[in-house]
Amino acid sequence: MRLLYVNAIPGIVNDVFKNKEPWQIVTMTSTATLATVWLWNFIFCQDKSLLERGKKQLFKLARYIPSIRDKINGELVKINETFENDVVHRLKEASFIVHLPKNGLNNEEILNLVRQFVHLGDFDWQAGRVSGAVYRVNNELKQLMGDVYTIASYTNPLHPDVFPGICKMEAEVVRIACHLFHGDEETCGTMTTGGTESILLACKTFRDYAREVKGIKKPEIVMPVTAHAAFDKAAQYLNIKIRAVSLDPQSYAVSIQAMRKAITKNTIMLVGSAPNFPYGTMDNIEAIAELGVKYNIPVHVDACLGGFLTCFMSDAGYNLPPSDFRLPGVASLSVDTHKYGYAPKGSSIILYRKKMYRHYQYTITTDWPGGIYGSPTINGSRAGGIIASCWATLMYFGYNDYVESTKKIIETTKYIERNLREMDGIFVFGTPATSVIAIGSNEFHIYRLSEALSVKGWNLNTLQFPCGVHICITHMHTQPGLADQFLKDVKSELSTILENRNTLTEGKLAMYGMSQSIPDRSVVGDFTKCFLDSMYYTKESETCQ
Ligand SMILES: *Cc1c(COP(=O)(O)O)cnc(C)c1O
């Protein structure tokens, strides 16, 4: 049958080009070839699926229709005003300083202003009313941080010959982390300014590694949908495609089967979270590491959130499957000292199994007139004061205190989880592995609970797809009586809500909830840009768009 076909082709082709001039034949065939190549590229060689691109194009065209454009712009103006009014409200009408003071202020004036600004805001974070955000406040440590920063504030590890001691402190922080996560003498890393930078650097490292060693030119990251937005950010910066893998509906951890299916010849890294931000559930890092070994793809463990809990958990009396360098497939691990390491904001660590990987993280400019310029992370100059503060925090608490604090935090989390599970009308997503508990409801809109608790002074995190809220338990929540206060407030708000389950959400969260149903995500993007703009609002000028 097929043979017949093949035999027939020359005849068909001859028929088509019968009576054509040679130039016509050349033009027709080359046009057809070019068109085929274009079509092939359009359909197959794209970051997004055909359907997704079609949808995007359609929404883009829709904005050319005046009535739709006016409607969207009208909404944007309204939203912008809401955001700006929020800012004014949050700042309690404090006036803005928009020019340099002619003469410098004196210390007392400055300190008073800083005190005033730091204590603006509606939520009592010092009393532990906020989910995550502030991991520990200890007055003695705060004093120490001030002193350490005072001493090291003008140092910069970019100049190791001038500030060798800052480099020593960084090296020690990295080495301590290598030991906590069971690395060997080949394990290495760098300090960074936060989890986002650690993650971005891991993505750059494996992109460049894959390009050089495997010749991958269209890099892809395979990761759970729950992996932190920092991976998406890295992908945007580094021109990498993300393949987001769905979760197992029971455990809310990534489906390993789906992950295996998402691996292609262009995969540069696999990601697992230990645990993830939205649900606090742990991906099956052992299984992901095995995939990594099997397909020879580096595995990154994102332990930004929970790393400084998980590494102390077995000593605190809790069993957890291994999620670090004990697993041969794990090539890198990010862990935030400025979360459960309790250091001031601005520090994190990225670790690699082998020195060879770290070389791909570095950037080197050999021929610059300013000299040979090599730097390990994104920044050139770096804050020596932050490195010293992080180092000092680790020294201040020591191993035993970290174990003790971990014990308290996990105990508090389990206590709250157990009690929430007993309440009517809500459910817990999966099994919290460390300190995050996410709840949802099949009976009412869960954002209503969040809104009601916010009125009572609790600031929780809202989740989408599906709707949920989570609380991230920190050392702040281990204060006596606080967990019970939270549970009491949840219980009483729940009973009010359950009395009239069909009321709609109000206020800001209503908008948040509504935004999930807007099919044109670029509109949601525009709203978000307005929100970011409002952070820079100084009541003079600046409107968004
Ligand atoms: C916080 C967090 C990050 C990013 O850290 P930043 O310090 O906010 O940049 C990454 N992954 C997880 C799971 C996190 O919770």
Side-chain angles (χ1 to χ4, degrees), residues 134-151:
V134 183
Y135 289 77
R136 189 167 189 170
V137 171
N138 163 330
N139 284 328
E140 196 181 77
L141 176 69
K142 241 167 40 177
Q143 189 61 49
L144 177 67
M145 290 301 100
D147 294 344
V148 169
Y149 203 89
T150 305
I151 300 167

Side-chain angles (χ1 to χ4, degrees), residues 135 193-197 199 228 230-231 273 275-277 302 304-305 336 338-339 348:
Y135 289 77
T193 56
T196 300
E197 189 186 354
I199 286 168
H228 196 272
F231 288 96
S273 309
N276 60 53
F277 172 84
D302 179 15
C304 278
L305 181 60
D336 286 356
H338 70 193
K339 286 182 179 159
S348 167

Side-chain angles (χ1 to χ4, degrees), residues 76 186 201 216 376 396 405 440 468 515 530 542:
L76 280 175
E186 258 291 297
L201 287 171
I216 295 177
Y396 175 79
S405 308
S515 78
C530 283
E542 296 194 37

Side-chain angles (χ1 to χ4, degrees), residues 114-327:
V114 172
R115 266 186 218 109
Q116 184 200 333
F117 295 161
V118 168
H119 294 111
L120 288 169
D122 293 332
F123 295 99
D124 193 354
W125 51 270
Q126 308 209 63
R129 290 286 180 142
V130 172
S131 162
V134 183
Y135 289 77
R136 189 167 189 170
V137 171
N138 163 330
N139 284 328
E140 196 181 77
L141 176 69
K142 241 167 40 177
Q143 189 61 49
L144 177 67
M145 290 301 100
D147 294 344
V148 169
Y149 203 89
T150 305
I151 300 167
S153 48
Y154 286 90
T155 63
N156 180 357
L158 186 64
H159 310 285
D161 45 351
V162 186
F163 305 110
I166 293 294
C167 295
K168 174 179 184 287
M169 283 190 252
E170 178 178 7
E172 288 174 356
V173 169
V174 170
R175 187 54 48 198
I176 287 169
C178 287
H179 287 139
L180 288 173
F181 294 94
H182 301 96
D184 57 23
E185 60 287 354
E186 258 291 297
T187 313
C188 62
T190 65
M191 280 184 73
T192 68
T193 56
T196 300
E197 189 186 354
S198 296
I199 286 168
L200 197 136
L201 287 171
C203 296
K204 179 230 183 290
T205 295
F206 295 126
R207 182 197 66 174
D208 291 358
Y209 169 74
R211 187 161 49 198
E212 189 165 304
V213 176
K214 301 181 185 171
I216 295 177
K217 296 210 177 63
K218 292 183 178 247
E220 295 179 5
I221 292 172
V222 173
M223 68 180 207
V225 286
T226 41
H228 196 272
F231 288 96
D232 201 69
K233 187 175 195 170
Q236 292 182 33
Y237 278 150
L238 298 167
N239 205 10
I240 299 173
K241 176 178 171 177
I242 296 278
R243 279 184 188 268
V245 179
S246 57
L247 307 182
D248 173 277
Q250 244 66 55
S251 67
Y252 277 80
V254 71
S255 155
I256 297 300
Q257 213 179 343
M259 187 167 245
R260 182 185 312 115
K261 282 195 191 136
I263 293 173
T264 71
K265 63 178 188 344
N266 287 326
T267 308
I268 59 156
M269 72 194 278
L270 306 178
V271 175
S273 309
N276 60 53
F277 172 84
Y279 307 114
T281 50
M282 190 82 107
D283 289 318
N284 186 344
I285 306 292
E286 285 169 292
I288 297 172
E290 274 171 29
L291 285 181
V293 171
K294 184 168 170 204
Y295 294 97
N296 188 26
I297 300 168
V299 172
H300 177 84
V301 174
D302 179 15
C304 278
L305 181 60
F308 271 92
L309 294 172
T310 57
C311 70
F312 301 114
M313 268 172 79
S314 81
D315 281 353
Y318 297 98
N319 277 328
L320 212 59
S323 57
D324 57 22
F325 293 109
R326 280 171 288 181
L327 305 169

